[in-house]
Amino acid sequence: MKVVLSGMRPTGRMHVGHLKGVLENWVKLQENYKCYFEVADWHALTDEPTRNREVLRNTLDMVKDWLAVGIDPKKSVIFRQSLVPQHAEIHLIFSMLVSVNRLLRNPTFKEKVSELRKKKSEIKLSLNLENLSVEGEVGGIVEFIKGEDKEKGEKFLRGVIGRIKEEVLERLSFLDFDDSLIPSEISYGFLGYPVLQAADILIYKGELVPVGEDQLPHLELSREIARDFNRIYGEVFPIPEPLLTEIPKILGIDGRKMSKSYNNAIFISDTPEEITQKVKKSITDPMKIRKGDPGRPEICPIFYLHKAFNPDESYEIEENCRKGVLGCVDCKNRIAGKLISALEPYREKAGELSDDLIMDVIREGSKVARERAEETVEEVRRVLWSGS
Ligand code: SF4
């Protein structure tokens, strides 16, 4: 059987985006491949080193959901990265094979740098504009407007300031990437995380890696490292291939990407009451105020949930939303019912799994992973030092 490697950072309870985007795929893969599913706990520290305090609890919650949806420890190796220290040795050796420039071109790294730069610029802009509003020319305008209609004047000015700020930030985020402007929060570990990822895959001689279209550049680096290692030291590693996976779009109830950190997620283990409440609270198309108003399903999180959990009716829902025949309350009630019945069996199963049982599964899987990883490390040491 071909070897498949995939993993996740320990983020705690899994939400319906994880279920549709990753876990359902893993459940299928384990029937036809030798799967290694990794709890990537070292990765969790690369952008936030103090996250160590949350890792154990998050790992237990996450793996509980993995098992609840059908990942089977008898078929797949479920392991914790930090319990297989061999990853660190391979990561170190691989780090000699990658240039800093190559890592600076990694799209995730660039995104993170832009995000931090944007955040910092935002703080500076707010401060400067605050100053402007109390003294100087803008301050004068405020005083004038205040005299006419204080509330209206302030609102107007804040609106103008807000628009200037948005415009400036937008432009800043598109500025050419300049590595001399890398924020100090970016660690050496974060820059090198794709090298650790390559070690995660190649240490098990992973041949296939399930990825979405946008993750292809990450896998490309692992492929380059495998090729370079084999060329310089000797054939050890297969060149991993992508197993392209379609990742359905699922939005959080506030319309942003679904994420625990945004507090907008519907979790696999949510109770029927929690699901109903969250669906009720979810935003929809803000232009659709009454049932008769035509809606835009493409901007509505509820519609994406229908597509994922109620595919048979999603065409009709799309049509009727556009025509203004369907109201948001009915539409939400329908998806809440579907979600409750789809998630109920997982919630029940998760309730039967104790922390001790999850710990045993992780310990056992990590032992199997360690043995396999050690075999690869021995091979690597042999070819690496064969001439010395
Ligand atoms: S009818 Fe449904 S899909 Fe359309 S905007 Fe309302 S909740 Fe969204």
Side-chain angles (χ1 to χ4, degrees), residues 26 45 61 67 76 78 97 122-123 147 158-159 166 197 203 205 243 299 320 326 348 361 382:
W26 284 8
L45 308 182
D61 290 344
L67 301 192
S76 306
I78 297 170
L97 302 176
E122 192 163 22
I123 294 164
R158 287 202 185 283
E166 267 169 32
Q197 232 168 27
I203 203 165
K205 302 205 175 178
L243 201 56
I299 60 160
N320 289 343
L326 178 66
E348 269 176 22
V361 165
R382 237 185 348 261

Side-chain angles (χ1 to χ4, degrees), residues 125-320:
L125 270 170
S126 317
L127 288 176
N128 293 343
L129 293 171
E130 276 302 313
N131 288 342
L132 276 175
S133 66
V134 286
E135 54 194 16
E137 284 177 20
V138 181
I141 298 170
V142 180
E143 288 311 312
F144 169 73
I145 300 171
K146 272 181 182 170
E148 298 290 308
D149 179 341
K150 187 176 174 221
E151 211 178 308
K152 200 170 161 196
E154 276 187 355
K155 200 172 155 206
F156 168 77
L157 195 67
R158 287 202 185 283
V160 172
I161 289 172
R163 277 206 298 281
I164 296 172
K165 211 163 97 179
E166 267 169 32
E167 181 76 8
V168 173
L169 287 173
E170 199 53 32
R171 279 161 198 242
L172 273 176
S173 66
F174 281 107
L175 278 183
D176 278 348
F177 181 77
D178 177 349
D179 58 29
S180 68
L181 295 174
I182 295 172
S184 53
E185 291 90 335
I186 300 277
S187 69
Y188 163 61
F190 183 76
L191 178 67
Y193 91 86
V195 184
L196 182 57
Q197 232 168 27
D200 297 341
I201 298 166
L202 296 171
I203 203 165
Y204 302 104
K205 302 205 175 178
E207 294 159 287
L208 294 169
V209 180
V211 284
E213 192 90 44
D214 57 331
Q215 295 157 326
L216 280 172
H218 300 154
L219 186 62
E220 197 42 46
L221 185 73
S222 300
R223 291 162 54 81
E224 285 170 29
I225 290 175
R227 273 192 224 105
D228 285 347
F229 185 97
N230 290 347
R231 181 176 46 79
I232 299 170
Y233 302 115
E235 285 288 327
V236 173
F237 297 110
I239 311 300
E241 296 289 337
L243 201 56
L244 265 184
T245 311
E246 209 180 309
I247 299 180
K249 182 170 176 173
I250 293 201
L251 300 173
I253 58 171
D254 59 359
R256 292 188 288 173
K257 182 181 167 217
M258 186 173 280
S259 162
K260 185 182 169 189
S261 56
Y262 292 156
N263 201 18
N264 66 1
I266 297 174
F267 294 104
I268 291 173
S269 55
D270 275 344
T271 62
E273 295 72 35
E274 286 169 325
I275 295 170
T276 309
Q277 277 310 315
K278 288 180 181 179
V279 168
K280 215 182 233 176
K281 255 176 57 188
S282 172
I283 66 154
T284 58
D285 175 359
M287 304 289 279
K288 185 168 165 58
I289 296 159
R290 283 170 220 88
K291 183 177 172 182
D293 297 337
R296 294 167 296 170
E298 68 278 8
I299 60 160
C300 176
I302 297 295
F303 176 64
Y304 289 105
L305 288 172
H306 274 292
K307 273 183 99 171
F309 287 88
N310 186 19
D312 294 346
E313 294 177 12
S314 68
Y315 179 73
E316 170 233 309
I317 284 167
E318 182 172 9
E319 287 270 298
N320 289 343

Side-chain angles (χ1 to χ4, degrees), residues 35-65:
C35 293
Y36 287 82
F37 296 131
E38 173 188 84
V39 176
D41 53 359
W42 277 332
H43 282 283
L45 308 182
T46 52
D47 59 347
E48 183 45 77
T50 58
R51 209 175 266 141
N52 62 324
R53 300 174 202 131
E54 306 153 22
V55 161
L56 180 60
R57 185 65 259 159
N58 282 349
T59 298
L60 292 171
D61 290 344
M62 179 171 85
V63 175
K64 193 175 281 185
D65 283 345

